[in-house]
Amino acid sequence: MTNEEIAAYYAYLQAYAAGKYGHSAEVEDLVQESMTDALLQIRRGAEIRYPKAFLCTILSRRYSDMLRARYSSRCEFFEDMTILGTPSEEDFTDPPPDPDAEEEEARRELGRLREIYREVVVRYYMYGHSVAQISAALKIPRGTVMSRLHQGRSLVREGITGMEKYTELSYAPKYVQLGIEGGTNDRHEPFSLLTSPIESNLLIIAYEKPLSLEEISAGLGIPCAYLEHFTDRLCQGELMGRTPGGLYYTRCFLQEYADQFGDIPAQQALAEELAQTVWEEILNTFSPMMAEEEVRAMSDKQRATLFLFLMMQTLNKCVHRAMTAGADYDPEVLPERPGGCRWLASGKILTRDTKPHRYDRSGPAEISYSVKRNGTNDCMMFDCQSLFGDTHWVYGRRMPGMNLGRIMRLIASLLPCDVTPEDDQSYEAIPELEKLHILRRDANGQAVPDIPALSWDTVRRWDQASIDIRHRMYERIGPRLEAIVEKRHVRVPHHVDGWQRYTRAGALGCYTMAQMEAIAEAKLMPWQVKIGETPIIYLGYKKNI
C-alpha cells in the first residue's frame, strides 16, 4: 500500500468516524489506533479485499470496547452495598469497579431516578466529578451530596429488572433553543411546539437518521404511549416528519452550541484587519445626518448606540450575502407552513451547564404598537441582546411580568407621542431599566430614554441610508467574508428542510460581534462605548404635534 493510499484511507476513516461518532479527541485516537491495527495486519500478510469495510469494522469494535471500559468503571454503584445510614466521604473517593455491570441497565435506571438523585449520581459516576465539585456546582452541603449518592445508588440497584438500550439523553437531557428565518403563525409556531425537554430531545435523537417510535422510546427511556402525543404534535407543526414506513425524523437543522461560532480566531483576526475600513464606510454614510435636530439632542451614549445598531444591521446583511454567495437555492424562498406562515427553523443544542458565549446574540427582536389599531404604528422597537448589553434575555427574570411590548410602551410614553404604559405597574420596572442602561434620570430626576429614539420622518431617511450602504460595504469586505465561508463544511442530513442552507452554518457565527467589538476597542468611534453597558435598542415613534 502506497503512502498516497494510506493517506486516502485515513481521510476516509476520519470522515466516517466523525459522521457516526462525532468530533472528539477520543474518536480521533480510535481512528489512529484502527489505522495502525490495519497496517500491522497487512504487514503480517493479511489479505484485505475490501479495505474501507475492514477499517470501519476495526473502528466499530474499538469504539464498542471503549464504551464497555467506560461503563465498567462507571457502574460501580451496582455493588451489593451493606452500608447503612449516611456514608462517609471516603466511601466515594475511589469506589471499586464492577466489570459485570450492564450499561443498558444503568442507563434505564438512571433515567427513572428523581432529579435530585439523578443529577448527583450522573455527575459523580458518569462525569467523574468529586463530592466537592458537585457540592459547589449544585450549592448543597457535602453531606447532602453523599446522602443522595447513597440513596441514588440504592434505588438504581433495586430497580434493575431488565435490559433496554437507553442513550445518554435518558439521564442527561439536552435542550434546543429554536430560531427561524421567516415569521410565525397566530399560534406562535414553531416556537410554541417546544414546551418541555421531551420535544427537544425528540428532535435531537431523530436528527441523524429516521427512527421507529420503539427506537426513540428505548433511547429516551420513555414509554411509547407517552411519546405519541409529542411526535404527533411535532409532525403536525412540521418540526418532525414521518416516513411511509412509520419512521420519525427531524426536519429542522440542529447544531451543537459551540459549533455555531465557527473559527473564532480567524473571524477576530479579520475583524481587527477590517476595523478601519468598516468604520470609514459607516461614518461616511451616516455622518451627513448627524446635524439633524433629533440626533443633536441625543447624548453621546445614545449616538453611540444608534451607530452600533446601524453597523450591526449593515454587517448582518453582508454576512447573509456571503453565506448565500453562489448558492444553488433561492435564499428568499421559504416553505409555506400550517397557518399560512413561511419559515425555516434551526436550533442550538444546549446542556444544563451550557454557559453563554460572549459572542452569542439575539435579535433584533421587533415589536410595534398602534394606539388606534388602524394598521399605523405609533411606535416600533428593535431590541438586540449582545455583548454590548443585556436586553430581552433578562427582562422576564429581572422584571417579572414585563415583556418587550410592555417595555416598549413604557419607553415610548416618555417621548412626545400618544403612547401610554400598559398599566401603572409598568412604572415599577424603571429602576431595573436604569440598571440595564435603557433609561436614565435627567437633571430634574425624571426618567428619560437612554437609547436612541427617532421620529418616523427621521427614521425613513436613516433607513434609506442603511439600504444604500449595503452594496458599498459588501464590495469592500465581501470577498474576505466569502473566503472564510468557503473553508467551512458541515454535514447536514438530507431530510432536514432546506438542508443546502446549512452546509456552511456557523462559518461567520461571531463575525458581526467581533467586528463591532474591534471598532469599539480601537476607539474609532467618536463616542465612548462601554462593553456591557451600551445595550443595542433602537426605537422609532410617531411624533405628536
Side-chain angles (χ1 to χ4, degrees):
M1 187 179 293
T2 66
N3 290 336
E4 289 76 15
E5 290 176 322
I6 293 174
Y9 284 128
Y10 185 82
Y12 169 80
L13 194 59
Q14 279 186 311
Y16 174 84
K20 189 167 185 179
Y21 305 122
H23 294 279
S24 70
E26 289 179 320
V27 172
E28 179 62 29
D29 289 343
L30 291 179
V31 170
Q32 295 179 7
E33 292 168 5
S34 300
M35 197 70 192
T36 301
D37 191 359
L39 292 174
L40 287 174
Q41 292 193 46
I42 291 173
R43 289 177 182 176
R44 291 171 185 158
E47 183 177 347
I48 312 300
R49 294 184 61 188
Y50 305 102
K52 291 183 179 179
F54 180 67
L55 287 170
C56 293
T57 300
I58 295 177
L59 178 67
S60 178
R61 289 174 178 170
R62 286 190 172 274
Y63 187 81
S64 297
D65 290 341
M66 180 188 74
L67 291 181
R68 291 192 191 96
R70 178 183 297 170
Y71 280 95
S72 69
S73 65
R74 290 178 176 174
C75 296
E76 58 268 34
F77 45 85
F78 290 102
E79 64 185 347
D80 186 14
M81 291 178 55
T82 58
I83 301 174
L84 297 177
T86 302
S88 66
E89 185 166 346
E90 286 72 21
D91 292 319
F92 298 100
T93 55
D94 189 21
D98 180 1
D100 297 324
E102 294 289 345
E103 64 188 72
E104 290 86 0
E105 295 176 333
R107 286 172 171 171
R108 181 194 67 218
E109 294 307 319
L110 279 174
R112 293 182 179 180
L113 285 178
R114 287 174 55 196
E115 182 180 12
I116 62 171
Y117 301 119
R118 185 179 71 247
E119 190 167 37
V120 172
V121 171
V122 167
R123 286 175 183 267
Y124 186 85
Y125 289 106
M126 297 301 170
Y127 298 152
H129 295 176
S130 67
V131 170
Q133 288 174 318
I134 298 172
S135 173
L138 300 183
K139 296 180 175 57
I140 57 177
R142 296 159 71 95
T144 302
V145 174
M146 292 186 288
S147 177
R148 290 181 182 178
L149 280 171
H150 174 70
Q151 182 66 17
R153 183 162 62 176
S154 297
L155 291 170
V156 169
R157 174 168 44 81
E158 293 168 5
I160 300 174
T161 58
M163 293 179 61
E164 297 176 72
K165 295 182 179 179
Y166 283 29
T167 69
E168 185 180 4
L169 295 177
S170 66
Y171 58 80
K174 296 183 179 181
Y175 308 87
V176 172
Q177 186 180 91
L178 208 62
I180 66 169
E181 291 181 65
T184 64
N185 59 22
D186 56 2
R187 297 187 297 274
H188 201 50
E189 291 178 349
F191 298 105
S192 59
L193 296 173
L194 302 187
T195 60
S196 73
I198 294 177
E199 291 98 341
S200 289
N201 287 278
L202 282 169
L203 295 179
I204 294 170
I205 199 170
Y207 181 70
E208 293 295 338
K209 64 178 182 179
L211 299 174
S212 67
L213 192 60
E214 291 76 14
E215 290 173 316
I216 293 173
S217 171
L220 297 184
I222 302 175
C224 292
Y226 291 92
L227 288 177
E228 290 170 347
H229 163 75
F230 295 100
T231 52
D232 288 348
R233 188 162 173 266
L234 289 172
C235 287
Q236 290 169 6
E238 299 189 357
L239 282 181
M240 291 191 79
R242 187 178 181 184
T243 69
L247 301 182
Y248 293 90
Y249 59 91
T250 299
R251 294 178 60 174
C252 61
F253 172 69
L254 299 181
Q255 191 172 44
E256 293 288 344
Y257 180 77
D259 292 338
Q260 69 170 338
F261 301 103
D263 187 341
I264 295 176
Q267 294 172 77
Q268 288 175 323
L270 181 63
E272 291 180 9
E273 182 182 343
L274 295 178
Q276 186 70 43
T277 298
V278 171
W279 175 246
E280 285 178 357
E281 195 64 57
I282 294 287
L283 188 62
N284 290 339
T285 299
F286 296 103
S287 60
M289 294 178 289
M290 292 296 293
E292 294 183 349
E293 178 183 355
E294 292 176 15
V295 181
R296 284 191 291 106
M298 290 181 180
S299 67
D300 283 351
K301 189 258 189 183
Q302 288 175 300
R303 294 191 194 97
T305 303
L306 177 61
F307 271 73
L308 286 174
F309 177 80
L310 296 168
M311 195 185 317
M312 184 188 67
Q313 292 292 78
T314 301
L315 292 173
N316 283 346
K317 293 296 182 181
C318 290
V319 165
H320 178 73
R321 184 171 170 183
M323 292 292 294
T324 56
D328 56 359
Y329 60 88
D330 186 344
E332 303 303 320
V333 175
L334 300 173
E336 186 170 353
R337 304 294 184 176
C341 58
R342 294 180 178 274
W343 50 261
L344 279 173
S346 60
K348 311 171 189 176
I349 300 177
L350 312 172
T351 67
R352 192 167 191 169
D353 295 328
T354 298
K355 298 292 189 298
H357 193 282
R358 69 187 311 271
Y359 285 135
D360 202 353
R361 61 192 176 96
S362 176
E366 302 179 21
I367 189 164
S368 60
Y369 177 72
S370 174
V371 173
K372 297 181 180 180
R373 306 291 182 184
N374 59 1
T376 301
N377 292 326
D378 286 85
C379 60
M380 175 176 283
M381 189 168 74
F382 302 87
D383 184 289
C384 312
Q385 172 73 33
S386 73
L387 63 88
F388 289 95
D390 283 324
T391 58
H392 56 265
W393 279 358
V394 303
Y395 291 158
R397 184 173 73 248
R398 297 184 60 160
M399 298 167 285
M402 293 298 286
N403 54 33
L404 275 176
R406 296 187 70 182
I407 288 174
M408 176 186 63
R409 288 181 61 178
L410 174 61
I411 297 172
S413 72
L414 306 175
L415 297 166
C417 67
D418 296 327
V419 177
T420 58
E422 185 171 313
D423 51 41
D424 290 342
Q425 187 179 353
S426 297
Y427 290 112
E428 297 177 6
I430 289 178
E432 287 298 323
L433 292 174
E434 288 182 74
K435 294 176 185 177
L436 292 172
H437 309 280
I438 294 171
L439 297 179
R440 63 180 175 85
R441 298 285 177 172
D442 64 12
N444 298 318
Q446 298 298 311
V448 295
D450 201 20
I451 60 173
L454 300 176
S455 64
W456 286 136
D457 289 340
T458 307
V459 165
R460 292 187 187 95
R461 292 192 291 275
W462 287 76
D463 280 351
Q464 186 57 52
S466 297
I467 295 172
D468 294 341
I469 191 178
R470 294 170 190 171
H471 180 70
R472 296 195 305 273
M473 184 71 82
Y474 197 80
E475 284 186 333
R476 302 190 70 177
I477 71 173
R480 304 297 302 279
L481 299 180
E482 291 178 21
I484 290 182
V485 173
E486 283 298 314
K487 296 178 181 179
R488 179 76 165 177
H489 299 281
V490 178
R491 195 188 73 82
V492 186
H494 287 197
H495 55 251
V496 169
D497 291 348
W499 65 269
Q500 301 94 329
R501 293 173 179 259
Y502 305 111
T503 57
R504 313 279 190 184
L508 297 171
C510 70
Y511 169 71
T512 294
M513 283 295 112
Q515 185 64 81
M516 294 168 64
E517 180 184 38
I519 290 172
E521 291 189 342
K523 301 188 184 306
L524 296 176
M525 300 177 69
W527 317 285
Q528 184 180 10
V529 174
K530 294 183 179 180
I531 303 296
E533 297 183 13
T534 316
I536 304 176
I537 308 180
Y538 168 50
L539 194 144
Y541 67 98
K542 181 181 179 182
K543 194 171 185 178
N544 59 22
I545 301 175

